Amino acid sequence: MEQFLLPSSLQPNPSAYKDQIRWTRCIAELEGRLSPKFRHQNSHLLVNSYSQTGTFAHISDDGEANCRTTLDSYTNSELRTYFGPSQGVTAVEFDAKGIYVASVTKSGCLSVHDFETLYCTIHGPSSSTAKCKGTGKPLVHISTSMALNAVKWNPSNQDEVACASRQRDKIFLFDISYVSAEPIEVLEIGRSRFSDIQEGFSDIVFLSEDKSRLLASSLNGGIHMWDRRVSTTHCLEQFTKSSSECQFNSLELDRENRVVFGAGRNGVIYAWDLRGGRSSFAFQSPNEVPVLTSLKVSSMLEKIKDLKEQSNIVSREIHSIKFDPSCPHQLAFHLDDGWSGVINVNDLSVTHVHCPPPNWLDGIITCTIIRRPAWLPTFSVYAVSSSSKAIYLLDFYPDKTSPSHINFNDEIETISGGKRRLLQNKLISLSEDVICCAVHPFNGTIVAGTEESSLMLVSQTGTGGEDGE
């Protein structure tokens, strides 16, 4: 048999293969599935493909004279630098199927657009150049006499939209299938511990498994629940111990609809267990639920040693909180100074932080706008509006490879052993200042509401650059 063997001098050297470049996609293509780490390593391709593709001005069906948003657009723009905008889109929301997108303005208008119409206007065969100024006519336009600050779709009835105002202590429900400017139902506050100091509502949340129940956060430090099958007045209320000092800005439910989180002006996030909390409490007060826990964000940030050494951490107002749809234990928060971060609700610790330059560098003395960021449906990317006509796409992936992680490690290698590409947060320049964002649940297109009361599309173009933050 030795005559068939190669001489030792001609046999290949095994060490020669160590220096060869390995095929980084072999595991994914052989197994037919993409691991979360592989997706994250290539997430820069997604993030860098985003850019502004179109803007749609606010349009009314019943003429400019009957549209408060159009009338307010003539306000002196020089006052915005010091007092904030007198108009603007305050909230944007997609329905569960991504067919319709609803928006409300500070001037009191509710608009519902067909998303496919907006998208095809920009990306269809008849579209013009990028960043065009379109005229997307809404399917529904309702002008009210109050400022609207929140809008939410009923997940069990895609024809129903709920709106809230900081100026009224009522929740207004509209049916977009009816040609009527009047709400089909108005939910009110009944007898309450704070009935003499009722104020408006800042946010709304529907219980996904029950189309009849919804919650709203008030400006007097309370959260109220309605069961529409029983009455149009609230059936449950939850207050903090310092209700007079807490005005809620944002409300969020966990995936199981068991715990509700509320964040407000005092920089604290409160959590209530809707199942009742302590067993003895249900017998003492069946109409109230005790606070499960409270998290002061500034105290949590002070536990980050490197951040505390570099920054003067003070308690700031919380504008928004939002759960990550691709990682349900990540609760993102956004502060009034532009800082954003993630709280791991499993161990109640801050895992990610993003600290952009302060607003005064852009000439903004005070920030009175409640900004509402949004998550992309995959990759744990957080879309946050900036005060300088831009939005950040922040990588909040739940491990140390995220550039925003407090223990970021830039020396981790890829699965195949090669050198890992450094990931960066993306800053996208826009033509207008953005207040709020909503993301399509399937294709990831960002619809942003601006201070000019227009809707802006930020979508994937396939020609994204390599610039990061």
Side-chain angles (χ1 to χ4, degrees):
M1 297 294 295
E2 295 181 357
Q3 60 180 339
F4 297 101
L5 299 176
L6 291 174
S8 58
S9 60
L10 298 178
Q11 289 183 1
N13 185 7
S15 62
Y17 294 102
K18 295 182 179 180
D19 298 332
Q20 295 184 3
I21 300 176
R22 298 185 181 183
W23 188 18
T24 59
R25 287 185 290 224
C26 62
I27 298 179
E29 297 191 6
L30 288 176
E31 294 183 354
R33 60 185 178 88
L34 302 178
S35 66
K37 288 186 178 181
F38 179 84
R39 289 175 179 267
H40 183 231
Q41 289 171 5
N42 293 275
S43 62
H44 67 277
L45 300 175
L46 169 72
V47 172
N48 288 328
S49 67
Y50 276 90
S51 64
Q52 178 185 343
T53 54
T55 306
F56 299 90
H58 184 86
I59 298 178
S60 171
D61 290 335
D62 47 2
E64 294 185 359
N66 298 321
C67 179
R68 291 174 55 88
T69 301
T70 304
L71 295 176
D72 288 344
S73 64
Y74 301 110
T75 304
N76 188 356
S77 60
E78 295 180 358
L79 299 177
R80 295 180 186 175
T81 303
Y82 301 98
F83 302 104
S86 60
Q87 59 169 343
V89 178
T90 53
V92 186
E93 183 82 7
F94 274 100
D95 67 346
K97 299 179 180 179
I99 299 176
Y100 301 115
V101 55
S103 61
V104 291
T105 66
K106 195 173 183 179
S107 302
C109 291
L110 165 65
S111 302
V112 177
H113 290 81
D114 182 273
F115 172 72
E116 185 176 358
T117 302
L118 298 179
Y119 191 84
C120 292
T121 301
I122 304 300
H123 299 280
S126 60
S127 62
S128 58
T129 58
K131 299 186 181 182
C132 65
K133 188 80 171 181
T135 55
K137 188 175 182 180
L139 299 176
V140 177
H141 179 274
I142 299 173
S143 183
T144 66
S145 59
M146 57 191 168
L148 297 178
N149 301 97
V151 60
K152 287 294 172 64
W153 290 90
N154 187 342
S156 301
N157 183 2
Q158 295 297 281
D159 290 333
E160 194 171 78
V161 179
C163 298
S165 172
R166 289 174 174 262
Q167 300 175 355
R168 305 289 177 86
D169 57 349
K170 297 179 176 64
I171 301 297
F172 304 89
L173 292 103
F174 296 90
D175 193 326
I176 64 172
S177 62
Y178 292 166
V179 185
S180 174
E182 298 298 324
I184 60 172
E185 192 172 7
V186 179
L187 305 181
E188 301 178 338
I189 296 293
R191 296 183 59 184
S192 172
R193 290 195 294 132
F194 294 89
S195 58
D196 56 334
I197 54 172
Q198 285 299 326
E199 299 185 38
F201 292 103
S202 58
D203 204 0
I204 312 169
V205 168
F206 279 91
L207 274 71
S208 59
E209 298 179 356
D210 190 344
K211 64 180 180 181
S212 302
R213 292 192 298 169
L214 72 155
L215 299 96
S217 55
S218 66
L219 299 180
N220 63 355
I223 293 178
H224 303 270
M225 176 188 288
W226 288 265
D227 190 339
R228 299 166 59 191
R229 297 169 299 184
V230 179
S231 173
T232 56
T233 59
H234 80 285
C235 61
L236 183 70
E237 60 185 10
Q238 307 159 58
F239 286 94
T240 64
K241 293 182 179 179
S242 56
S243 300
S244 59
E245 301 177 359
C246 178
Q247 292 187 357
F248 286 113
N249 290 329
S250 184
L251 196 63
E252 187 75 355
L253 270 172
D254 67 345
R255 179 174 290 186
E256 290 79 17
N257 290 332
R258 296 178 179 177
V259 181
V260 58
F261 295 83
R265 298 186 62 181
N266 61 352
V268 180
I269 299 176
Y270 299 91
W272 290 268
D273 192 333
L274 297 179
R275 295 169 295 179
R278 294 187 293 271
S279 59
S280 61
F281 193 88
F283 297 97
Q284 300 173 13
S285 182
N287 294 328
E288 298 182 10
V289 176
V291 175
L292 181 65
T293 187
S294 60
L295 308 171
K296 190 171 183 179
V297 175
S298 60
S299 299
M300 302 175 73
L301 293 175
E302 288 180 347
K303 296 179 182 180
I304 306 174
K305 183 179 179 180
D306 294 340
L307 182 63
K308 186 177 181 180
E309 293 176 351
Q310 301 176 24
S311 307
N312 180 24
I313 300 175
V314 296
S315 182
R316 307 292 303 193
E317 178 180 354
I318 303 175
H319 279 184
S320 176
I321 54 175
K322 200 80 171 177
F323 272 107
D324 182 357
S326 59
C327 188
H329 68 266
Q330 289 204 142
L331 179 65
F333 61 86
H334 182 69
L335 307 181
D336 64 346
D337 58 356
W339 286 25
S340 301
V342 170
I343 296 175
N344 185 339
V345 295
N346 290 338
D347 57 10
L348 302 181
S349 63
V350 175
T351 58
H352 299 71
V353 176
H354 176 255
C355 309
N359 294 328
W360 56 265
L361 291 179
D362 299 323
I364 301 177
I365 300 177
T366 59
C367 182
T368 60
I369 307 173
I370 303 297
R371 301 188 183 273
R372 299 184 181 273
W375 287 96
L376 267 62
T378 57
F379 297 101
S380 294
V381 176
Y382 196 50
V384 181
S385 61
S386 170
S387 59
S388 56
K389 294 185 178 181
I391 62 171
Y392 287 101
L393 294 184
L394 305 178
D395 182 351
F396 282 164
Y397 188 76
D399 70 9
K400 298 179 181 180
T401 59
S402 167
S404 300
H405 198 279
I406 60 174
N407 297 318
F408 173 57
N409 186 353
D410 58 356
E411 297 179 355
I412 298 177
E413 295 183 348
T414 60
I415 299 174
S416 61
K419 210 171 186 180
R420 185 181 65 83
R421 174 188 176 86
L422 289 178
L423 301 176
Q424 293 180 317
N425 297 321
K426 177 73 173 181
L427 179 64
I428 303 175
S429 299
L430 306 175
S431 59
E432 298 178 13
D433 287 314
V434 170
I435 298 177
C436 54
C437 297
V439 181
H440 193 276
F442 302 116
N443 67 14
T445 299
I446 301 173
V447 176
T450 71
E451 293 184 10
E452 303 296 333
S453 299
S454 59
L455 294 181
M456 181 182 298
L457 259 62
V458 181
S459 55
Q460 303 175 52
T461 60
T463 58
E466 300 298 327
D467 295 328
E469 180 201 358

